[in-house]
Amino acid sequence: MTPGTTAEPATRSELPPRPRTWPRRTLIVSALAAFTVATCLPAIGGVEIDLGAIAQNWRRGAANLSALLQPNWAFVPRTVQPMLETLQMAFVGAAIAAALSVPLTLWAARPTNPHTPSRLAVRAVINVIRAVPDLVWATILVAMVGVGALPGLLTLVLFDVGIVVKLVSEAIDSADHPYLEAARAGGATQHQMNRGLALPQNLPLFANQWLYALELNVRISAILGIVGAGGIGRLLDERFGFFAYGDVSVIILEILVVVLIIEAASHLLRRRLA
Amino acid sequence: MSDTLESRTRTTTASPAVVLPPRPSRLVQTVATAVVGLVLLVSVTTLDVEWAALRDLPAAVGEYGVLMFADPDWSRLPRALFEMWRSISMAWLGALLCVVVSIPLGMLAADGVGPTWLRFTLRGVFAVIRAVPEVIIALVLLTVTGLTPFTGALALGIAGIGTQGKWTYETIETLRDGAADAVRAAGGGRTAVVRWALWPAALPALLSFALYRFEINIRMSAVLGIVGAGGIGSMLANYTNYRAWDTVGMLLIVVVVTTMAVDAVSGALRRRIMEGP
């Protein structure tokens, strides 16, 4: 390169040329637009955007909405038992999941399980479990083991195990492990390392996610009854079926209050753990 | 080696009587453990579950597993893909709506952007929407608007605002103040600060959250289908009711493969957005 070519831009302006971003930007925007258009084509399964139907339904909808805004407080006593069942399911589900999540997590993280095939196998199972939505699990489990709290409980356990194992094992994977390395250098077996170091070290992480799972459980178990898996959701579904919107709004308000209380309690506990 | 070890043990055995602090009280932990254990025990015993049924569970899982996956009924695959695309569409449009609404609202709710009264109102609204399970928000909306995929998308959009708004204002609040201060020092008003300092800095995170919302909605749209909004969830609920297990197996495979594929693509995009090429 001659000195003249390097000096030339400097004489014109101090600024480097603007990077050419518009071709890429146009490409990305048009791809997103094309995808969005494709999601609006009913012929291939897309969503038919029909604001007219909503306008038509609006009068009936407004009546329903005003009924929802008038809670039927006399209904409260009948909600106590199902609400308790919901809370019990949430709690027991979280406890069982907590017990199951410890070995599975240590199995799914690289520093605690150097054996690749078994680690990948556990991860694959967890990923498949997580890919099936909660209510889909509940629907299938209800068909398999019958209506009641048991399929709901199983759904919660599966869901919690999926979340806790994924989050904690990824946290273990991405952290540095000086103590584990020291123990390995000192000749500890993998079991000794996991039992004596990895587990106590990561227990706060676990506890955090267990509480989070409990929070999620209260929310999910409130709706599991819709497909017959026990709890307050069954009552909610029944009242919806009877168009008893006053009762429905009582149930929704109760769920709201319970979720807020559980979240506040769990928030306090987590602050103490941190 | 053995010599140093010995001397060390000697010093540690000699000193404890003098220097060891008293053992910390474990009373709180013990009581907490006992209470949790007791509540758990009561919950387990009073929960209306036939625990004996668990004994048959492995056999049942095996039996239904064979029914579902030994010979899945692929003849209904075209229909399943059609319904799956409907669910994806619901999820996408819902995510779009959610993001378009929650970004401005979330920005207004951020510290230092909106006026105080608006900030607290918006945060309250977000908190209430977050606390109600999404399916219930959807159910309420569906009583107002009727059950169609479009209203399903609307429900997803509104149900997500609570969390998405929270993520938005938290993102804005964790930004460094430097750029905003610079714009203010140059005489920029509130709009200029948002446009030239906050928006460019927050954009990658906001885009990443938008994609994440799409991933969440993919699962939620199947759930809404079970409630009756259409899409793969409705098909799955129907065939489960008919106990057509070979079709249910096929549908589950479609759901799992699609969800994992969307997660993988969206996750890769998110990493690229956050970390650059």
Side-chain angles (χ1 to χ4, degrees), chain A residues 67-146:
Chain A
L68 269 173
L69 290 176
Q70 293 155 8
N72 171 21
W73 298 113
F75 191 66
V76 172
R78 274 191 60 192
T79 61
V80 173
Q81 179 53 37
M83 198 49 163
L84 273 180
E85 189 182 36
T86 289
L87 286 172
Q88 282 175 319
M89 277 164 57
F91 189 54
V92 176
I96 298 174
L100 290 176
S101 66
V102 172
L104 285 173
T105 302
L106 295 182
W107 231 336
R110 181 186 283 273
T112 50
N113 178 13
H115 185 238
T116 308
S118 68
R119 188 175 68 239
L120 293 183
V122 173
R123 280 191 190 176
V125 171
I126 293 295
N127 281 335
V128 169
I129 288 179
R130 274 171 33 81
V132 179
D134 44 21
L135 225 49
V136 173
W137 273 125
T139 309
I140 289 166
L141 285 168
V142 165
M144 278 165 65
V145 301

Coordinates of all heavy atoms in Angstrom, one line a residue, chain A residues 67-146:
Chain A
A67 N -70.8 -9.8 34.6 CA -71.1 -10.8 35.6 C -69.8 -11.2 36.3 O -69.9 -11.5 37.5 CB -71.7 -12.0 34.9
L68 N -68.7 -11.2 35.6 CA -67.4 -11.6 36.3 C -67.0 -10.5 37.3 O -66.3 -10.8 38.3 CB -66.3 -11.7 35.2 CG -66.1 -13.0 34.6 CD1 -65.1 -12.9 33.5 CD2 -65.6 -14.0 35.6
L69 N -67.5 -9.3 37.1 CA -67.1 -8.2 38.0 C -68.0 -8.2 39.3 O -67.8 -7.4 40.1 CB -67.2 -6.9 37.3 CG -66.1 -6.7 36.3 CD1 -66.2 -5.4 35.5 CD2 -64.7 -6.8 36.9
Q70 N -68.9 -9.1 39.4 CA -69.8 -9.2 40.6 C -69.5 -10.6 41.3 O -70.3 -11.5 41.1 CB -71.2 -9.0 40.2 CG -71.5 -7.7 39.7 CD -72.8 -7.7 38.8 OE1 -73.5 -8.6 38.6 NE2 -73.0 -6.5 38.1
P71 N -68.5 -10.6 42.1 CA -68.2 -11.9 42.7 C -69.3 -12.4 43.6 O -69.9 -11.5 44.3 CB -66.9 -11.6 43.5 CG -66.4 -10.3 43.0 CD -67.6 -9.6 42.5
N72 N -69.6 -13.6 43.6 CA -70.7 -14.2 44.5 C -70.0 -14.7 45.7 O -69.6 -15.9 45.8 CB -71.4 -15.3 43.7 CG -72.3 -16.1 44.6 OD1 -72.8 -15.6 45.6 ND2 -72.6 -17.3 44.1
W73 N -69.9 -13.8 46.7 CA -69.1 -14.2 47.9 C -69.7 -15.4 48.7 O -69.0 -16.0 49.4 CB -69.0 -13.0 48.9 CG -68.3 -11.9 48.2 CD1 -68.8 -10.7 47.9 CD2 -66.9 -11.8 47.8 NE1 -67.9 -9.9 47.3 CE2 -66.7 -10.5 47.2 CE3 -65.9 -12.7 47.8 CZ2 -65.5 -10.2 46.7 CZ3 -64.6 -12.4 47.3 CH2 -64.4 -11.1 46.8
A74 N -71.0 -15.7 48.5 CA -71.6 -16.8 49.2 C -71.0 -18.1 48.8 O -71.1 -19.2 49.4 CB -73.1 -16.8 48.9
F75 N -70.2 -18.1 47.6 CA -69.6 -19.3 47.1 C -68.3 -19.7 47.8 O -67.9 -20.8 47.7 CB -69.4 -19.1 45.6 CG -69.0 -20.3 44.8 CD1 -69.9 -21.4 44.7 CD2 -67.8 -20.5 44.3 CE1 -69.6 -22.5 44.0 CE2 -67.4 -21.6 43.6 CZ -68.3 -22.7 43.5
V76 N -67.8 -18.7 48.6 CA -66.4 -19.0 49.1 C -66.3 -20.3 49.9 O -65.3 -21.0 49.7 CB -66.0 -17.8 50.0 CG1 -64.8 -18.1 50.8 CG2 -65.9 -16.5 49.2
P77 N -67.3 -20.6 50.8 CA -67.1 -21.9 51.6 C -66.9 -23.1 50.7 O -66.1 -24.0 51.1 CB -68.4 -22.0 52.4 CG -68.9 -20.6 52.5 CD -68.5 -19.9 51.2
R78 N -67.5 -23.1 49.6 CA -67.4 -24.3 48.7 C -66.0 -24.4 48.1 O -65.6 -25.5 47.5 CB -68.5 -24.3 47.7 CG -69.8 -25.0 48.2 CD -70.7 -25.2 47.0 NE -70.2 -26.1 46.0 CZ -70.8 -26.3 44.8 NH1 -71.9 -25.6 44.5 NH2 -70.2 -27.1 43.9
T79 N -65.3 -23.3 48.0 CA -64.0 -23.3 47.4 C -62.9 -23.7 48.3 O -61.8 -24.0 47.8 CB -63.6 -21.9 46.8 OG1 -63.6 -21.0 47.9 CG2 -64.7 -21.5 45.8
V80 N -63.1 -23.8 49.6 CA -62.0 -24.0 50.5 C -61.4 -25.4 50.3 O -60.2 -25.5 50.2 CB -62.5 -23.8 52.0 CG1 -61.5 -24.2 53.0 CG2 -63.0 -22.4 52.2
Q81 N -62.2 -26.4 50.3 CA -61.7 -27.8 50.2 C -60.9 -27.9 48.9 O -59.7 -28.4 48.9 CB -62.9 -28.8 50.3 CG -62.5 -30.2 50.1 CD -61.4 -30.6 51.1 OE1 -61.3 -30.1 52.2 NE2 -60.4 -31.4 50.7
P82 N -61.4 -27.6 47.7 CA -60.6 -27.7 46.5 C -59.3 -26.9 46.5 O -58.3 -27.3 46.0 CB -61.6 -27.2 45.4 CG -62.9 -27.3 45.9 CD -62.8 -27.1 47.4
M83 N -59.4 -25.7 47.1 CA -58.2 -24.9 47.2 C -57.1 -25.5 48.0 O -56.0 -25.5 47.7 CB -58.6 -23.5 47.8 CG -57.6 -22.4 47.6 SD -57.2 -22.4 45.8 CE -56.4 -20.9 45.6
L84 N -57.6 -26.2 49.1 CA -56.6 -26.9 50.0 C -56.0 -28.0 49.2 O -54.8 -28.3 49.2 CB -57.3 -27.5 51.2 CG -57.4 -26.5 52.4 CD1 -58.1 -27.2 53.5 CD2 -56.0 -26.1 52.8
E85 N -56.8 -28.7 48.4 CA -56.3 -29.8 47.6 C -55.3 -29.3 46.6 O -54.2 -29.9 46.4 CB -57.4 -30.5 46.8 CG -57.0 -31.8 46.2 CD -58.0 -32.5 45.4 OE1 -58.9 -31.8 44.7 OE2 -58.0 -33.7 45.4
T86 N -55.6 -28.2 46.0 CA -54.6 -27.5 45.1 C -53.3 -27.3 45.8 O -52.2 -27.6 45.2 CB -55.2 -26.2 44.5 OG1 -56.3 -26.5 43.6 CG2 -54.2 -25.4 43.8
L87 N -53.3 -26.7 46.9 CA -52.1 -26.3 47.7 C -51.4 -27.6 48.1 O -50.1 -27.6 48.0 CB -52.4 -25.5 48.9 CG -52.8 -24.1 48.6 CD1 -53.3 -23.4 49.8 CD2 -51.7 -23.3 48.0
Q88 N -52.1 -28.6 48.5 CA -51.5 -29.9 48.9 C -50.7 -30.5 47.7 O -49.6 -30.9 47.8 CB -52.5 -30.9 49.4 CG -53.0 -30.6 50.8 CD -54.1 -31.5 51.2 OE1 -55.0 -31.8 50.4 NE2 -54.0 -32.1 52.4
M89 N -51.4 -30.5 46.5 CA -50.8 -31.0 45.3 C -49.5 -30.3 45.0 O -48.5 -30.9 44.7 CB -51.8 -30.9 44.1 CG -52.8 -32.1 44.0 SD -54.1 -31.6 42.9 CE -53.3 -31.3 41.4
A90 N -49.6 -28.9 45.1 CA -48.5 -28.1 44.7 C -47.3 -28.4 45.6 O -46.2 -28.6 45.2 CB -48.9 -26.6 44.8
F91 N -47.6 -28.6 46.9 CA -46.5 -28.8 47.9 C -45.9 -30.2 47.8 O -44.7 -30.3 47.7 CB -47.1 -28.5 49.3 CG -46.1 -28.5 50.4 CD1 -45.0 -27.6 50.3 CD2 -46.2 -29.3 51.5 CE1 -44.0 -27.6 51.3 CE2 -45.2 -29.3 52.5 CZ -44.1 -28.5 52.3
V92 N -46.8 -31.2 47.8 CA -46.3 -32.5 47.7 C -45.6 -32.7 46.4 O -44.5 -33.4 46.3 CB -47.5 -33.6 47.8 CG1 -47.0 -35.0 47.6 CG2 -48.1 -33.4 49.2
G93 N -46.1 -32.2 45.3 CA -45.4 -32.3 44.0 C -44.1 -31.7 44.0 O -43.1 -32.3 43.5
A94 N -44.0 -30.5 44.6 CA -42.6 -29.8 44.7 C -41.7 -30.7 45.5 O -40.5 -30.8 45.2 CB -42.8 -28.4 45.2
A95 N -42.2 -31.3 46.6 CA -41.3 -32.0 47.5 C -40.8 -33.3 46.8 O -39.6 -33.6 46.8 CB -42.1 -32.4 48.8
I96 N -41.7 -34.0 46.1 CA -41.2 -35.2 45.4 C -40.2 -34.8 44.3 O -39.2 -35.4 44.1 CB -42.4 -36.0 44.8 CG1 -43.4 -36.4 45.9 CG2 -42.0 -37.1 43.9 CD1 -44.7 -37.1 45.3
A97 N -40.6 -33.7 43.6 CA -39.7 -33.3 42.5 C -38.3 -32.9 43.1 O -37.3 -33.1 42.5 CB -40.3 -32.1 41.8
A98 N -38.3 -32.2 44.3 CA -37.1 -31.8 44.9 C -36.2 -33.1 45.1 O -35.0 -33.1 44.8 CB -37.3 -31.1 46.2
A99 N -36.8 -34.1 45.7 CA -36.0 -35.3 46.0 C -35.5 -35.9 44.7 O -34.3 -36.4 44.6 CB -36.9 -36.3 46.7
L100 N -36.3 -36.0 43.7 CA -35.9 -36.6 42.4 C -34.8 -35.7 41.7 O -34.0 -36.3 41.0 CB -37.1 -36.8 41.5 CG -38.1 -37.9 41.8 CD1 -39.2 -37.9 40.9 CD2 -37.4 -39.2 41.9
S101 N -34.9 -34.4 41.9 CA -34.1 -33.5 41.1 C -32.6 -33.6 41.4 O -31.8 -33.4 40.6 CB -34.6 -32.1 41.2 OG -34.4 -31.6 42.5
V102 N -32.3 -34.0 42.7 CA -30.9 -33.9 43.1 C -30.1 -35.0 42.3 O -29.1 -34.6 41.7 CB -30.8 -34.2 44.6 CG1 -29.3 -34.3 45.0 CG2 -31.4 -33.0 45.4
P103 N -30.4 -36.2 42.4 CA -29.6 -37.2 41.6 C -29.6 -36.9 40.1 O -28.6 -36.9 39.4 CB -30.2 -38.5 41.9 CG -31.5 -38.3 42.4 CD -31.4 -37.0 43.1
L104 N -30.8 -36.5 39.6 CA -30.9 -36.3 38.1 C -30.0 -35.1 37.7 O -29.4 -35.1 36.6 CB -32.3 -36.0 37.7 CG -33.2 -37.3 37.7 CD1 -34.7 -37.0 37.5 CD2 -32.7 -38.3 36.6
T105 N -30.0 -34.0 38.5 CA -29.2 -32.9 38.2 C -27.7 -33.2 38.2 O -27.0 -32.8 37.2 CB -29.5 -31.7 39.2 OG1 -30.8 -31.4 39.2 CG2 -28.7 -30.5 38.8
L106 N -27.3 -33.9 39.2 CA -25.9 -34.3 39.3 C -25.5 -35.2 38.1 O -24.4 -35.2 37.6 CB -25.5 -34.9 40.6 CG -25.7 -34.0 41.8 CD1 -25.3 -34.8 43.1 CD2 -24.9 -32.8 41.7
W107 N -26.5 -35.9 37.6 CA -26.3 -36.8 36.5 C -26.2 -36.0 35.2 O -25.5 -36.4 34.3 CB -27.5 -37.7 36.4 CG -27.2 -39.2 36.2 CD1 -26.0 -39.7 35.8 CD2 -28.0 -40.2 36.6 NE1 -26.1 -41.1 35.8 CE2 -27.3 -41.4 36.3 CE3 -29.3 -40.4 37.1 CZ2 -27.9 -42.7 36.5 CZ3 -29.9 -41.6 37.3 CH2 -29.1 -42.8 37.0
A108 N -26.9 -34.8 35.2 CA -27.0 -34.1 33.9 C -25.9 -33.0 33.7 O -25.9 -32.4 32.7 CB -28.4 -33.5 33.8
A109 N -25.1 -32.8 34.7 CA -24.1 -31.8 34.6 C -22.7 -32.4 34.4 O -22.4 -33.4 34.9 CB -24.1 -30.9 35.9
R110 N -21.9 -31.7 33.5 CA -20.6 -32.3 33.2 C -19.7 -32.4 34.4 O -19.0 -33.5 34.5 CB -20.0 -31.4 32.1 CG -18.7 -31.9 31.6 CD -18.0 -30.9 30.7 NE -18.7 -31.0 29.3 CZ -18.2 -31.9 28.4 NH1 -17.2 -32.7 28.7 NH2 -18.8 -31.9 27.3
P111 N -19.5 -31.4 35.2 CA -18.5 -31.5 36.3 C -18.9 -32.6 37.3 O -18.0 -33.2 37.9 CB -18.6 -30.2 37.0 CG -19.2 -29.2 36.1 CD -20.1 -30.0 35.2
T112 N -20.1 -33.0 37.4 CA -20.5 -34.0 38.4 C -20.7 -35.3 37.7 O -21.0 -36.3 38.4 CB -21.8 -33.6 39.1 OG1 -22.8 -33.2 38.2 CG2 -21.5 -32.4 40.1
N113 N -20.8 -35.4 36.4 CA -20.9 -36.7 35.7 C -20.1 -36.6 34.4 O -20.6 -36.2 33.4 CB -22.4 -36.9 35.4 CG -22.5 -38.2 34.7 OD1 -21.6 -39.1 34.6 ND2 -23.7 -38.4 34.1
P114 N -18.8 -37.0 34.5 CA -18.0 -37.0 33.3 C -18.3 -38.0 32.3 O -17.8 -38.0 31.1 CB -16.6 -37.2 33.8 CG -16.7 -37.5 35.3 CD -18.1 -37.6 35.7
H115 N -19.2 -39.0 32.6 CA -19.6 -40.0 31.7 C -20.6 -39.5 30.6 O -21.7 -39.3 30.9 CB -20.2 -41.2 32.5 CG -20.5 -42.4 31.7 ND1 -21.7 -43.0 31.6 CD2 -19.7 -43.1 30.9 CE1 -21.7 -44.0 30.8 NE2 -20.4 -44.1 30.3
T116 N -20.1 -39.3 29.4 CA -20.9 -38.5 28.4 C -22.2 -39.3 28.0 O -23.3 -38.6 28.1 CB -20.1 -38.2 27.2 OG1 -18.9 -37.6 27.6 CG2 -20.8 -37.3 26.2
P117 N -22.2 -40.6 27.7 CA -23.5 -41.2 27.3 C -24.6 -41.0 28.3 O -25.7 -40.7 27.9 CB -23.1 -42.6 27.0 CG -21.6 -42.6 26.8 CD -21.1 -41.5 27.6
S118 N -24.3 -41.3 29.6 CA -25.3 -41.2 30.6 C -25.8 -39.8 30.8 O -27.0 -39.5 31.0 CB -24.9 -41.8 31.9 OG -23.9 -41.0 32.5
R119 N -24.9 -38.9 30.7 CA -25.3 -37.5 30.8 C -26.2 -37.0 29.7 O -27.2 -36.4 29.9 CB -24.0 -36.6 30.8 CG -24.3 -35.1 31.2 CD -23.0 -34.3 31.3 NE -22.4 -34.2 30.0 CZ -21.1 -34.6 29.7 NH1 -20.4 -35.2 30.6 NH2 -20.6 -34.4 28.5
L120 N -25.8 -37.4 28.5 CA -26.7 -37.0 27.3 C -28.0 -37.7 27.4 O -29.0 -37.1 27.0 CB -26.0 -37.4 26.0 CG -24.7 -36.6 25.7 CD1 -24.1 -36.9 24.4 CD2 -25.0 -35.1 25.8
A121 N -28.0 -38.9 27.9 CA -29.3 -39.6 28.0 C -30.2 -38.9 29.0 O -31.4 -38.7 28.7 CB -29.1 -41.1 28.5
V122 N -29.7 -38.5 30.1 CA -30.6 -37.8 31.1 C -31.0 -36.5 30.5 O -32.2 -36.2 30.6 CB -29.8 -37.6 32.4 CG1 -30.6 -36.7 33.4 CG2 -29.5 -38.9 33.1
R123 N -30.1 -35.8 29.9 CA -30.5 -34.5 29.3 C -31.6 -34.7 28.2 O -32.5 -33.9 28.2 CB -29.3 -33.8 28.7 CG -28.5 -33.2 29.7 CD -27.4 -32.3 29.0 NE -26.5 -31.9 30.0 CZ -25.4 -31.1 29.6 NH1 -25.2 -30.8 28.4 NH2 -24.6 -30.8 30.6
A124 N -31.5 -35.7 27.4 CA -32.5 -35.9 26.4 C -33.8 -36.2 27.0 O -34.8 -35.6 26.5 CB -32.1 -37.1 25.5
V125 N -33.9 -37.0 28.0 CA -35.2 -37.3 28.7 C -35.8 -36.0 29.2 O -36.9 -35.7 29.1 CB -35.0 -38.4 29.8 CG1 -36.3 -38.5 30.6 CG2 -34.6 -39.7 29.2
I126 N -34.9 -35.2 29.9 CA -35.4 -34.0 30.5 C -35.9 -33.0 29.4 O -37.0 -32.4 29.6 CB -34.3 -33.3 31.3 CG1 -33.9 -34.1 32.5 CG2 -34.7 -31.9 31.7 CD1 -34.9 -34.2 33.5
N127 N -35.2 -33.0 28.3 CA -35.7 -32.1 27.2 C -37.0 -32.5 26.6 O -37.8 -31.7 26.3 CB -34.6 -32.0 26.1 CG -33.5 -31.1 26.5 OD1 -33.7 -30.2 27.3 ND2 -32.3 -31.3 25.9
V128 N -37.2 -33.8 26.5 CA -38.5 -34.3 26.0 C -39.6 -34.0 27.0 O -40.6 -33.5 26.6 CB -38.4 -35.8 25.7 CG1 -39.8 -36.4 25.4 CG2 -37.5 -36.1 24.5
I129 N -39.3 -34.2 28.3 CA -40.3 -33.9 29.3 C -40.7 -32.4 29.2 O -41.9 -32.1 29.3 CB -39.8 -34.3 30.7 CG1 -39.7 -35.8 30.9 CG2 -40.7 -33.6 31.8 CD1 -39.1 -36.2 32.2
R130 N -39.7 -31.6 29.0 CA -39.9 -30.1 29.0 C -40.7 -29.7 27.7 O -41.3 -28.7 27.7 CB -38.6 -29.4 29.1 CG -38.2 -29.2 30.6 CD -36.8 -28.6 30.6 NE -36.6 -27.7 29.5 CZ -36.9 -26.4 29.5 NH1 -37.6 -25.9 30.5 NH2 -36.7 -25.7 28.4
A131 N -40.5 -30.5 26.7 CA -41.1 -30.0 25.4 C -42.6 -30.3 25.4 O -43.3 -29.7 24.6 CB -40.5 -30.8 24.2
V132 N -43.1 -31.1 26.3 CA -44.6 -31.4 26.3 C -45.2 -30.4 27.4 O -44.8 -30.4 28.5 CB -44.8 -32.8 26.8 CG1 -46.3 -33.1 26.8 CG2 -44.2 -33.8 25.8
P133 N -46.1 -29.6 26.9 CA -46.7 -28.6 27.8 C -47.5 -29.3 29.0 O -47.9 -30.4 28.9 CB -47.7 -27.8 27.0 CG -47.3 -28.1 25.6 CD -46.7 -29.4 25.6
D134 N -47.5 -28.5 30.1 CA -48.1 -29.1 31.4 C -49.5 -29.7 31.2 O -49.7 -30.8 31.6 CB -48.1 -28.1 32.5 CG -48.5 -26.7 32.0 OD1 -49.2 -26.6 31.0 OD2 -48.2 -25.7 32.7
L135 N -50.4 -28.9 30.6 CA -51.7 -29.4 30.4 C -51.9 -30.6 29.5 O -52.8 -31.4 29.6 CB -52.7 -28.3 30.0 CG -54.0 -28.2 30.7 CD1 -53.8 -28.2 32.2 CD2 -54.7 -26.9 30.3
V136 N -50.9 -30.7 28.6 CA -50.9 -31.9 27.7 C -50.5 -33.2 28.5 O -51.2 -34.2 28.4 CB -49.9 -31.7 26.5 CG1 -49.8 -33.0 25.7 CG2 -50.4 -30.6 25.6
W137 N -49.5 -33.0 29.4 CA -49.2 -34.1 30.3 C -50.4 -34.5 31.1 O -50.7 -35.7 31.2 CB -48.1 -33.7 31.3 CG -46.7 -33.9 30.8 CD1 -45.7 -33.0 30.7 CD2 -46.1 -35.1 30.3 NE1 -44.5 -33.5 30.2 CE2 -44.7 -34.8 30.0 CE3 -46.5 -36.4 30.2 CZ2 -43.8 -35.8 29.5 CZ3 -45.6 -37.4 29.7 CH2 -44.3 -37.0 29.4
A138 N -51.1 -33.5 31.6 CA -52.2 -33.8 32.5 C -53.3 -34.5 31.7 O -53.8 -35.5 32.2 CB -52.8 -32.5 33.1
T139 N -53.6 -34.1 30.5 CA -54.6 -34.7 29.7 C -54.3 -36.2 29.5 O -55.2 -37.1 29.7 CB -54.7 -34.0 28.3 OG1 -54.8 -32.6 28.5 CG2 -55.9 -34.5 27.5
I140 N -53.0 -36.5 29.1 CA -52.7 -37.9 28.8 C -52.7 -38.7 30.1 O -53.2 -39.8 30.2 CB -51.3 -37.9 28.1 CG1 -51.5 -37.4 26.7 CG2 -50.8 -39.3 28.1 CD1 -50.3 -37.0 26.0
L141 N -52.1 -38.1 31.2 CA -52.1 -38.9 32.5 C -53.5 -39.1 33.0 O -53.7 -40.2 33.6 CB -51.2 -38.1 33.5 CG -49.7 -38.2 33.2 CD1 -49.0 -37.2 34.1 CD2 -49.2 -39.6 33.5
V142 N -54.4 -38.2 32.8 CA -55.8 -38.4 33.3 C -56.3 -39.6 32.5 O -57.0 -40.5 33.1 CB -56.6 -37.2 33.1 CG1 -58.1 -37.5 33.2 CG2 -56.3 -36.1 34.1
A143 N -56.1 -39.7 31.2 CA -56.6 -40.8 30.4 C -55.9 -42.1 30.9 O -56.5 -43.2 30.8 CB -56.3 -40.6 28.9
M144 N -54.7 -42.0 31.4 CA -54.0 -43.2 31.7 C -54.3 -43.7 33.1 O -54.6 -44.9 33.3 CB -52.5 -43.0 31.7 CG -51.9 -43.1 30.2 SD -50.3 -42.5 30.1 CE -49.3 -43.5 31.1
V145 N -54.3 -42.8 34.1 CA -54.5 -43.3 35.5 C -55.9 -42.9 36.1 O -56.2 -43.2 37.2 CB -53.4 -42.8 36.5 CG1 -52.1 -43.3 36.0 CG2 -53.4 -41.3 36.6
G146 N -56.7 -42.2 35.3 CA -58.0 -41.8 35.8 C -58.1 -40.4 36.4 O -57.1 -39.9 36.7

